Amino acid sequence: MNDAYQAGPDGRGHFGTFGGQFVSETLMHALDELREAYGRWRKDEEFIRKMDEDLAFYVGRPSPVYYAQRYTAAAGGARIFLKREDLNHTGAHKINNTVGQGLLARHMGKKRVIAETGAGQHGVASATVAARLDQSCRVYMGEVDIHRQAINVFRMRLLGAEVCSVTSGSATLKDALNEAMRDWVTNVDDTFYIIGTVAGPHPYPEMVRDFNAVVGREARRQMLELHGELPDALVACVGGGSNAMGLFHPFLDDVDVKMYGVEAAGRGLAGGEHAASLCAGRPGVLHGCRTYLLDDDAGQIRHTHSVSAGLDYPGVGPEHAWLKEQGRAEYVSATDEEALGAFHQLTRLEGIMPALESAHALAYGFKLASDMRPDQSVLINLSGRGDKDVQTVAELEGLSL
Ligand SMILES: *Cc1c(COP(=O)(O)O)cnc(C)c1O
């Protein structure tokens, strides 16, 4: 562990050699405007008060830290605590960020928001906030994903968003991303682009982290109140990395608190059917920043696989790449099968059905706790609830609803 951990990013959005702004000249103007606006409003008392109010009365914060007694007994080691982001409005941590960016859009005088989504969760969180703030909302989604995620598409439409089908390339998330960027460049005067994780060009990785850091700030305080001391380890799943970064960030200076980010190992790291950029990828440039990613020998972004749509992304936020390089956080993985096992186990032992994304963190956290002493503790981020995954689980196990 590195005692001299440096907080980032620097003024140009670099986390060590990662991050930055790898975008066309036309996008630089939009990013500059956003960086300036965020720099100003983040320190504005009225903005902060409004944000706190929305998190309390709309999202339902603070979410509790729950001592999972039966889950702990089953692991037979360290005490296991769960940060209950599954109890938030719309069922996951993503709303923390969209509430923040929606509010920022309003303060910047932008009447229109756009987003891109793969699994549809970020699209729903964006459409939710846009409905409340009376912003027009367009969500770009690959045609293939639109078919796979029909319920979320319907949700977005009920909320008043326009879901725009993207047919170029592989018609999935990365193509939707390109389309959203194109829209933003063309309509930057009245449009705000809501990115859903700690990736993309500066200032997004920093801004999305800050909006999710409420998770870690609360958890730190709650552990001290409930347990009298900080946890020995934090565990969170990593897709793009926003729920993990939000939990980790307020603990970075607590050098005795270990951090584990759990990536999706899919059908196994060896076979290539996974989404584990930090465990099995290499540095490169993706979606406007330098980070770890999954590509082939020719430098083409590889097809990824995970049982959980929310972890199925070929890159990762640049700050995680930096934490990995500094050794401040450790990145591990859990397979589809392990995640499914954890999904059932938590459901049966605690009556809490986790999102399949969060089940990756549970699978690793459970193993970790079982190798630790009873006087130690592990805090696992339960990033979302599993209601959205019931059909997936049924199909995987050959059951009909
Ligand atoms: C989207 C999602 C994730 C993955 O996104 P991160 O940016 O890595 O947090 C994890 N859990 C849930 C429940 C999600 O909806």
Side-chain angles (χ1 to χ4, degrees):
M1 205 174 290
N2 192 337
D3 286 341
Y5 173 80
Q6 305 159 287
D10 68 14
R12 282 163 43 241
H14 294 116
F15 298 93
T17 63
F18 300 103
Q21 295 177 309
F22 293 82
V23 297
S24 64
E25 205 48 47
T26 44
L27 256 188
M28 282 308 281
H29 166 66
L31 290 172
D32 282 345
E33 188 194 6
L34 176 61
R35 187 178 43 74
E36 272 168 35
Y38 178 57
R40 170 183 163 206
W41 290 110
R42 72 189 295 186
K43 295 191 215 101
D44 182 83
E45 265 174 46
E46 178 62 21
F47 183 88
I48 294 169
R49 193 188 59 74
K50 186 77 182 89
M51 181 77 200
D52 288 347
E53 203 176 282
D54 285 358
L55 290 174
F57 298 104
Y58 190 65
V59 176
R61 306 206 69 91
S63 68
V65 158
Y66 168 71
Y67 173 36
Q69 235 164 319
R70 292 192 71 211
Y71 200 56
T72 295
R79 294 219 260 171
I80 300 175
F81 294 86
L82 305 176
K83 179 62 172 162
R84 300 288 311 273
E85 291 300 291
D86 60 314
L87 295 178
N88 293 340
H89 178 45
T90 68
H93 68 288
K94 285 193 171 74
I95 192 86
N96 301 322
N97 171 50
T98 53
V99 160
Q101 290 195 48
L103 200 60
L104 183 59
R106 171 183 265 191
H107 280 73
M108 290 172 74
K110 313 275 183 188
K111 298 284 291 174
R112 177 175 181 266
V113 298
I114 58 169
E116 95 293 320
T117 195
Q121 296 298 109
H122 174 57
V124 170
S126 299
T128 298
V129 167
R132 176 166 174 259
L133 297 178
D134 193 22
Q135 293 158 335
S136 88
C137 177
R138 174 184 274 189
V139 179
Y140 289 94
M141 197 166 177
E143 193 183 30
V144 171
D145 290 331
I146 285 182
H147 289 295
R148 284 198 292 217
Q149 309 289 340
I151 299 254
N152 277 338
V153 172
F154 189 58
R155 267 193 198 123
M156 287 181 248
R157 290 186 172 139
L158 287 173
L159 288 159
E162 176 197 358
V163 180
C164 200
S165 173
V166 177
T167 53
S168 56
S170 57
T172 57
L173 179 62
K174 68 177 169 48
D175 312 290
L177 232 137
N178 293 336
E179 218 45 57
M181 287 276 187
R182 216 163 290 150
D183 181 318
W184 198 30
V185 173
T186 315
N187 302 297
V188 65
D189 286 342
D190 74 338
T191 299
F192 189 103
Y193 178 20
I194 304 182
I195 290 188
T197 191
V198 287
H202 179 61
Y204 282 103
E206 179 186 21
M207 182 170 70
V208 177
R209 174 199 76 195
D210 292 348
F211 286 140
N212 268 304
V214 64
V215 177
R217 283 197 304 273
E218 283 176 9
R220 200 174 177 286
R221 194 188 68 229
Q222 288 164 322
M223 284 303 291
L224 289 171
E225 281 168 7
L226 186 74
H227 186 51
E229 55 189 24
L230 295 179
D232 294 280
L234 304 174
V235 184
C237 65
V238 176
S242 67
N243 86 87
M245 215 48 246
L247 177 67
F248 293 175
H249 195 258
F251 289 90
L252 285 173
D253 291 330
D254 300 308
V255 293
D256 293 331
V257 179
K258 293 203 166 123
M259 299 175 182
Y260 298 90
V262 188
E263 296 191 308
R267 300 195 174 96
L269 293 185
E273 285 186 83
H274 59 76
S277 321
L278 289 164
C279 292
R282 58 180 176 178
V285 171
L286 181 68
H287 299 147
C289 69
R290 185 169 185 276
T291 187
Y292 271 73
L293 50 81
L294 294 166
D295 62 355
D296 60 22
D297 291 340
Q300 294 294 315
I301 294 302
R302 261 174 37 198
H303 171 74
T304 53
H305 164 81
S306 170
V307 70
S308 63
L311 300 185
D312 205 351
Y313 174 63
V316 66
E319 192 166 6
H320 284 294
W322 197 45
L323 291 180
K324 172 187 164 82
E325 200 174 79
Q326 296 190 75
R328 179 62 187 95
E330 204 176 308
Y331 294 89
V332 295
S333 65
T335 63
D336 287 353
E337 205 180 311
E338 289 169 323
L340 260 175
F343 172 91
H344 286 298
Q345 197 185 18
L346 192 75
T347 301
R348 293 300 294 267
L349 287 176
E350 298 286 353
I352 297 172
M353 208 175 287
L356 283 174
E357 290 85 3
S358 323
H360 288 72
L362 290 162
Y364 186 81
F366 186 87
K367 271 196 298 194
L368 181 73
S370 65
D371 288 336
M372 290 165 65
R373 298 187 313 268
D375 64 320
Q376 293 182 299
S377 62
V378 174
L379 176 67
I380 303 174
N381 202 12
L382 198 63
S383 56
R385 68 175 86 121
D387 308 36
K388 68 180 178 59
D389 295 317
V390 168
Q391 190 162 355
T392 304
V393 171
E395 279 165 18
L396 284 166
E397 299 181 344
L399 309 167
S400 55
L401 287 181

